[in-house]
Amino acid sequence: MRINSFCLTCLIQMQEAQIHDFQDEEKKMRFMREVLSFLSSCDRELSAPALVKPLSEIYERYWGKAESMEHTKKTFNDFLLSMEEDLETQIRGYKDPLGAALRFARTGNYIDYASVRDLSEEGLMELFEKQSGDELDETEYSQFRRELHSAAKLIYLTDNCGEIVLDKIAVRILREQYPLLNVKVIVRGAPVVNDADMDAAEYVGLDRAAQVMSNGSAIAGTDLADISEMARKEIETADLIIAKGQGNFETLHGCGLNIYYLFLCKCSWFMKKFHAERMQGMFVNERRIPR
């Protein structure tokens, strides 16, 4: 998905937010002028997540490495791990455990430091209460279930830490219901925001639910032009792909692969695109999204 005016404005605001409390106003001006200069001449075909990488490099030249998110990632991984047994019991109590697992995994997409300014454990629990009964799109879910019966390989693209505990439950149920289906999980190739990488996947035990591999990229999404050749081949040869989160949508939309996007609408562009309210859940297919 190419950059647009909504995303451009958001990127600028994100850069200012990082330096808002810094004291050196002259240095802040130089930094913001360079940010604006870069964005005014950037490749318009790139997605917003792809542009975050060079913007981070500009930030590091002025201010050094951004504060690590490792503590935050561990906090939410531990929080969801502490609830895993109860959540899985609740999910398996539904008439359709797979549909419930995907809904809960979608709700976990709330754990996003790039998009949710007021992120909290309490906010997540409130969403669980509100959205546990919020059904997936009936038409898309029916098609997804039909395709699962004939599919040989499914790729599951993760998004954030904490959220991956819910992904683990969904993957576990997928493999139980479709034992002949080859399910592989792909995570980020490097620490980026609070996204899940190999260290996080191993920490929560996602690697014990299915084969997990890194995509080799430090972009907060799945940019087919930036990921490793091995990860790209796995994705392009999959019969079905589940892609979690807005970042995966932004980097993949337009590729034409058989992708089922699973995310919450957390910004004005997504709300406008899908005629949705903030935090409304989506389950949409790449090939059937209105242009």
Side-chain angles (χ1 to χ4, degrees):
M1 186 187 97
R2 61 186 304 203
I3 191 76
N4 56 56
S5 61
F6 285 92
C7 297
L8 191 65
T9 301
C10 184
L11 287 173
I12 294 169
Q13 291 173 340
M14 287 171 60
Q15 302 313 302
E16 194 282 329
Q18 291 186 100
I19 66 169
H20 185 78
D21 295 329
F22 295 174
Q23 299 302 312
D24 191 335
E25 190 60 37
E26 183 178 341
K27 189 176 179 182
K28 287 165 67 175
M29 274 294 294
R30 293 200 305 272
F31 168 72
M32 288 304 299
R33 285 172 65 89
E34 185 167 346
V35 165
L36 293 171
S37 176
F38 168 74
L39 290 174
S40 68
S41 59
C42 68
D43 184 350
R44 292 183 59 191
E45 296 302 315
L46 292 176
S47 66
L51 291 170
V52 169
K53 185 178 178 181
L55 285 172
S56 297
E57 293 170 357
I58 295 173
Y59 178 93
E60 288 182 16
R61 287 207 309 272
Y62 281 83
W63 314 103
K65 288 272 187 185
E67 185 178 350
S68 171
M69 299 290 291
E70 291 307 309
H71 175 72
T72 299
K73 290 160 69 172
K74 184 178 185 301
T75 296
F76 273 96
N77 278 336
D78 287 343
F79 180 53
L80 268 296
L81 283 171
S82 72
M83 298 190 295
E84 180 182 1
E85 186 175 346
D86 290 341
L87 286 169
E88 184 162 357
T89 298
Q90 184 179 348
I91 287 167
R92 290 183 181 277
Y94 281 87
K95 184 177 180 180
D96 176 13
L98 177 56
L102 292 175
R103 293 199 307 274
F104 274 76
R106 180 177 65 183
T107 300
N109 189 232
Y110 163 80
I111 309 170
D112 182 356
Y113 265 79
S115 301
V116 182
R117 303 289 173 83
D118 54 349
L119 188 63
S120 68
E121 294 176 359
E122 294 75 17
L124 177 60
M125 296 306 296
E126 288 177 11
L127 275 181
F128 276 139
E129 291 295 324
K130 292 177 182 176
Q131 299 204 37
S132 61
D134 185 16
E135 298 297 326
L136 302 173
D137 180 274
E138 184 177 350
T139 301
E140 289 298 349
Y141 183 59
S142 295
Q143 178 65 23
F144 176 70
R145 292 298 295 243
R146 284 193 294 271
E147 292 181 10
L148 279 171
H149 287 290
S150 58
K153 182 169 111 177
L154 181 145
I155 294 294
Y156 196 111
L157 304 175
T158 66
D159 194 16
N160 302 305
C161 285
E163 180 181 351
I164 55 172
V165 176
L166 297 160
D167 296 330
K168 178 174 67 169
I169 296 171
V171 166
R172 189 181 290 143
I173 293 173
L174 259 172
R175 296 191 68 197
E176 288 174 7
Q177 294 192 3
Y178 299 91
L180 299 181
L181 182 66
N182 180 9
V183 179
K184 293 185 179 181
V185 179
I186 299 182
V187 298
R188 307 287 191 251
V192 50
V193 201
N194 66 313
D195 290 12
D197 54 15
M198 283 299 298
D199 286 345
E202 291 169 0
Y203 183 81
V204 304
L206 182 56
D207 59 325
R208 295 191 293 274
Q211 181 182 344
V212 181
M213 66 180 293
S214 158
N215 71 4
S217 171
I219 288 176
T222 306
D223 188 327
L224 295 175
D226 193 76
I227 62 175
S228 69
E229 182 179 350
M230 184 181 298
R232 185 172 62 253
K233 183 177 180 181
E234 291 286 357
I235 292 169
E236 291 179 342
T237 58
D239 299 298
L240 285 167
I241 302 163
I242 296 174
K244 294 292 297 300
Q246 291 184 166
N248 278 327
F249 181 91
E250 290 173 279
T251 46
L252 285 167
H253 182 43
C255 70
L257 297 172
N258 190 24
I259 303 173
Y260 285 86
Y261 297 105
L262 191 64
F263 59 86
L264 298 179
C265 291
K266 292 170 286 192
C267 74
S268 58
W269 184 87
F270 277 84
M271 292 161 64
K272 181 179 180 181
K273 170 74 175 176
F274 294 101
H275 307 286
E277 298 179 359
R278 187 172 187 270
M279 294 301 173
Q280 183 174 334
M282 293 288 122
F283 185 65
V284 293
N285 185 273
E286 162 72 17
R287 296 172 176 172
R288 292 182 289 277
I289 296 172
R291 297 293 179 180

